[in-house]
Short mmCIF file of all heavy atoms in Angstrom, two decimals:
data_model
loop_
_atom_site.label_atom_id
_atom_site.label_comp_id
_atom_site.label_asym_id
_atom_site.label_seq_id
_atom_site.Cartn_x
_atom_site.Cartn_y
_atom_site.Cartn_z
N LYS X 1 168.40 468.79 132.75
CA LYS X 1 167.32 469.75 133.02
C LYS X 1 167.00 470.59 131.78
O LYS X 1 165.86 471.05 131.62
CB LYS X 1 167.72 470.67 134.17
CG LYS X 1 167.74 469.98 135.52
CD LYS X 1 168.17 470.94 136.62
CE LYS X 1 168.23 470.24 137.97
NZ LYS X 1 168.71 471.14 139.05
N ASN X 2 167.99 470.79 130.92
CA ASN X 2 167.79 471.64 129.73
C ASN X 2 167.08 470.94 128.58
O ASN X 2 166.77 471.57 127.57
CB ASN X 2 169.14 472.17 129.23
CG ASN X 2 169.68 473.27 130.11
OD1 ASN X 2 168.93 473.89 130.87
ND2 ASN X 2 170.98 473.51 130.04
N ILE X 3 166.84 469.64 128.69
CA ILE X 3 166.12 468.94 127.62
C ILE X 3 164.71 469.50 127.54
O ILE X 3 164.02 469.66 128.55
CB ILE X 3 166.08 467.42 127.90
CG1 ILE X 3 167.50 466.83 127.80
CG2 ILE X 3 165.16 466.71 126.92
CD1 ILE X 3 167.58 465.35 128.13
N ASP X 4 164.28 469.82 126.36
CA ASP X 4 162.96 470.41 126.12
C ASP X 4 161.88 469.45 126.62
O ASP X 4 161.77 468.32 126.13
CB ASP X 4 162.80 470.67 124.62
CG ASP X 4 161.48 471.35 124.27
OD1 ASP X 4 160.61 471.50 125.16
OD2 ASP X 4 161.30 471.70 123.08
N PRO X 5 161.06 469.87 127.59
CA PRO X 5 160.03 468.96 128.12
C PRO X 5 158.96 468.59 127.09
O PRO X 5 158.23 467.63 127.30
CB PRO X 5 159.42 469.76 129.28
CG PRO X 5 159.74 471.19 128.98
CD PRO X 5 161.06 471.17 128.27
N THR X 6 158.87 469.33 126.00
CA THR X 6 157.91 468.99 124.94
C THR X 6 158.51 468.07 123.88
O THR X 6 157.82 467.69 122.93
CB THR X 6 157.39 470.27 124.25
OG1 THR X 6 158.47 470.90 123.55
CG2 THR X 6 156.81 471.24 125.28
N ASP X 7 159.80 467.73 124.03
CA ASP X 7 160.47 466.86 123.07
C ASP X 7 160.21 465.41 123.50
O ASP X 7 160.93 464.84 124.31
CB ASP X 7 161.97 467.16 123.06
CG ASP X 7 162.73 466.35 122.03
OD1 ASP X 7 162.15 465.37 121.50
OD2 ASP X 7 163.89 466.66 121.76
N ASP X 8 159.17 464.81 122.93
CA ASP X 8 158.78 463.45 123.31
C ASP X 8 159.86 462.42 123.01
O ASP X 8 160.04 461.45 123.75
CB ASP X 8 157.49 463.05 122.60
CG ASP X 8 156.27 463.78 123.12
OD1 ASP X 8 156.30 464.21 124.28
OD2 ASP X 8 155.29 463.92 122.36
N VAL X 9 160.58 462.59 121.91
CA VAL X 9 161.61 461.63 121.53
C VAL X 9 162.71 461.61 122.59
O VAL X 9 163.18 460.55 123.00
CB VAL X 9 162.20 461.96 120.15
CG1 VAL X 9 163.33 460.99 119.79
CG2 VAL X 9 161.11 461.91 119.08
N ALA X 10 163.11 462.79 123.07
CA ALA X 10 164.13 462.86 124.11
C ALA X 10 163.60 462.38 125.45
O ALA X 10 164.31 461.72 126.22
CB ALA X 10 164.64 464.30 124.23
N ARG X 11 162.35 462.69 125.75
CA ARG X 11 161.78 462.36 127.05
C ARG X 11 161.51 460.87 127.20
O ARG X 11 161.75 460.29 128.26
CB ARG X 11 160.49 463.16 127.25
CG ARG X 11 159.88 463.00 128.62
CD ARG X 11 158.67 463.89 128.79
NE ARG X 11 158.09 463.78 130.12
CZ ARG X 11 156.94 464.35 130.48
NH1 ARG X 11 156.26 465.07 129.60
NH2 ARG X 11 156.48 464.20 131.71
N TYR X 12 161.01 460.24 126.14
CA TYR X 12 160.60 458.84 126.24
C TYR X 12 161.49 457.87 125.48
O TYR X 12 161.37 456.66 125.65
CB TYR X 12 159.15 458.69 125.75
CG TYR X 12 158.16 459.47 126.56
CD1 TYR X 12 157.52 460.59 126.04
CD2 TYR X 12 157.87 459.12 127.88
CE1 TYR X 12 156.60 461.32 126.79
CE2 TYR X 12 156.96 459.84 128.64
CZ TYR X 12 156.34 460.94 128.09
OH TYR X 12 155.45 461.66 128.84
N SER X 13 162.36 458.39 124.62
CA SER X 13 163.24 457.55 123.79
C SER X 13 162.44 456.59 122.90
O SER X 13 162.69 455.38 122.86
CB SER X 13 164.24 456.78 124.65
OG SER X 13 165.28 457.65 125.07
N TYR X 14 161.45 457.14 122.22
CA TYR X 14 160.70 456.46 121.16
C TYR X 14 160.56 457.43 120.00
O TYR X 14 160.57 458.66 120.21
CB TYR X 14 159.28 456.09 121.62
CG TYR X 14 159.18 454.95 122.58
CD1 TYR X 14 159.43 455.13 123.94
CD2 TYR X 14 158.80 453.67 122.16
CE1 TYR X 14 159.32 454.09 124.84
CE2 TYR X 14 158.68 452.62 123.07
CZ TYR X 14 158.95 452.83 124.40
OH TYR X 14 158.83 451.79 125.29
N PRO X 15 160.38 456.93 118.78
CA PRO X 15 160.08 457.82 117.66
C PRO X 15 158.77 458.58 117.92
O PRO X 15 157.87 458.07 118.59
CB PRO X 15 159.92 456.86 116.47
CG PRO X 15 160.60 455.61 116.88
CD PRO X 15 160.46 455.51 118.36
N GLN X 16 158.67 459.79 117.37
CA GLN X 16 157.50 460.63 117.63
C GLN X 16 156.21 459.96 117.17
O GLN X 16 155.18 460.03 117.86
CB GLN X 16 157.65 461.98 116.93
CG GLN X 16 156.56 462.99 117.29
CD GLN X 16 156.59 463.38 118.75
OE1 GLN X 16 157.62 463.84 119.25
NE2 GLN X 16 155.48 463.19 119.47
N TRP X 17 156.23 459.27 116.03
CA TRP X 17 155.00 458.64 115.53
C TRP X 17 154.50 457.57 116.51
O TRP X 17 153.30 457.38 116.68
CB TRP X 17 155.22 458.04 114.14
CG TRP X 17 156.11 456.83 114.07
CD1 TRP X 17 157.45 456.80 113.82
CD2 TRP X 17 155.73 455.46 114.29
NE1 TRP X 17 157.93 455.51 113.86
CE2 TRP X 17 156.89 454.67 114.14
CE3 TRP X 17 154.52 454.83 114.59
CZ2 TRP X 17 156.88 453.28 114.28
CZ3 TRP X 17 154.51 453.44 114.73
CH2 TRP X 17 155.68 452.68 114.57
N TRP X 18 155.43 456.88 117.14
CA TRP X 18 155.08 455.81 118.10
C TRP X 18 154.40 456.43 119.33
O TRP X 18 153.36 455.95 119.79
CB TRP X 18 156.35 455.08 118.50
CG TRP X 18 156.20 453.79 119.24
CD1 TRP X 18 155.45 453.57 120.35
CD2 TRP X 18 156.84 452.54 118.92
NE1 TRP X 18 155.60 452.25 120.77
CE2 TRP X 18 156.43 451.62 119.91
CE3 TRP X 18 157.71 452.13 117.93
CZ2 TRP X 18 156.90 450.29 119.91
CZ3 TRP X 18 158.17 450.82 117.93
CH2 TRP X 18 157.76 449.92 118.90
N VAL X 19 155.01 457.50 119.85
CA VAL X 19 154.42 458.19 121.00
C VAL X 19 153.02 458.70 120.65
O VAL X 19 152.07 458.54 121.44
CB VAL X 19 155.32 459.36 121.45
CG1 VAL X 19 154.66 460.12 122.61
CG2 VAL X 19 156.70 458.86 121.86
N ASN X 20 152.89 459.31 119.48
CA ASN X 20 151.59 459.85 119.06
C ASN X 20 150.53 458.75 118.97
O ASN X 20 149.38 458.95 119.39
CB ASN X 20 151.71 460.53 117.70
CG ASN X 20 152.55 461.80 117.76
OD1 ASN X 20 152.81 462.33 118.85
ND2 ASN X 20 152.98 462.28 116.61
N LYS X 21 150.92 457.62 118.44
CA LYS X 21 149.96 456.52 118.26
C LYS X 21 149.48 455.99 119.61
O LYS X 21 148.27 455.80 119.83
CB LYS X 21 150.59 455.40 117.43
CG LYS X 21 149.61 454.28 117.07
CD LYS X 21 150.28 453.20 116.22
CE LYS X 21 150.55 453.69 114.82
NZ LYS X 21 149.25 453.87 114.07
N LEU X 22 150.40 455.76 120.52
CA LEU X 22 149.98 455.26 121.83
C LEU X 22 149.17 456.30 122.59
O LEU X 22 148.19 455.95 123.28
CB LEU X 22 151.20 454.85 122.66
CG LEU X 22 151.89 453.53 122.30
CD1 LEU X 22 152.84 453.10 123.40
CD2 LEU X 22 150.90 452.42 122.01
N ARG X 23 149.55 457.56 122.50
CA ARG X 23 148.81 458.61 123.18
C ARG X 23 147.36 458.66 122.68
O ARG X 23 146.43 458.87 123.46
CB ARG X 23 149.50 459.96 122.95
CG ARG X 23 148.88 461.11 123.74
CD ARG X 23 149.55 462.42 123.37
NE ARG X 23 150.76 462.66 124.13
CZ ARG X 23 151.94 462.99 123.59
NH1 ARG X 23 152.09 463.08 122.29
NH2 ARG X 23 152.98 463.23 124.38
N HIS X 24 147.18 458.44 121.38
CA HIS X 24 145.83 458.45 120.79
C HIS X 24 145.05 457.19 121.15
O HIS X 24 143.86 457.26 121.48
CB HIS X 24 145.94 458.58 119.27
CG HIS X 24 144.63 458.45 118.57
ND1 HIS X 24 143.63 459.40 118.63
CD2 HIS X 24 144.14 457.45 117.77
CE1 HIS X 24 142.60 459.01 117.91
NE2 HIS X 24 142.88 457.83 117.39
N GLN X 25 145.71 456.03 121.10
CA GLN X 25 145.00 454.76 121.30
C GLN X 25 144.82 454.40 122.77
O GLN X 25 143.90 453.65 123.11
CB GLN X 25 145.76 453.64 120.57
CG GLN X 25 145.78 453.82 119.06
CD GLN X 25 146.41 452.64 118.32
OE1 GLN X 25 147.02 451.75 118.93
NE2 GLN X 25 146.27 452.63 117.00
N TYR X 26 145.69 454.90 123.64
CA TYR X 26 145.62 454.59 125.07
C TYR X 26 145.69 455.89 125.88
O TYR X 26 146.74 456.19 126.48
CB TYR X 26 146.76 453.66 125.48
CG TYR X 26 146.76 452.31 124.80
CD1 TYR X 26 147.46 452.12 123.60
CD2 TYR X 26 146.06 451.24 125.33
CE1 TYR X 26 147.47 450.88 122.97
CE2 TYR X 26 146.06 450.00 124.72
CZ TYR X 26 146.77 449.83 123.53
OH TYR X 26 146.77 448.61 122.91
N PRO X 27 144.63 456.69 125.89
CA PRO X 27 144.67 458.00 126.56
C PRO X 27 145.07 457.93 128.03
O PRO X 27 145.67 458.88 128.55
CB PRO X 27 143.23 458.52 126.40
CG PRO X 27 142.67 457.78 125.24
CD PRO X 27 143.32 456.43 125.27
#
């Protein structure tokens, strides 16, 4: 529960650049 909900790397277990790219390319 204490994991930062804005920490994409912890939430999704992908590098931040990967999450950013998919978020941009597949809204």
Side-chain angles (χ1 to χ4, degrees):
K1 289 179 182 178
N2 285 341
I3 293 177
D4 183 353
T6 66
D7 183 347
D8 289 334
V9 178
R11 186 176 182 187
Y12 298 110
S13 283
Y14 287 80
Q16 187 65 55
W17 70 266
W18 193 309
V19 177
N20 292 345
K21 186 179 288 291
L22 284 194
R23 186 185 275 129
H24 173 70
Q25 295 186 349
Y26 298 92

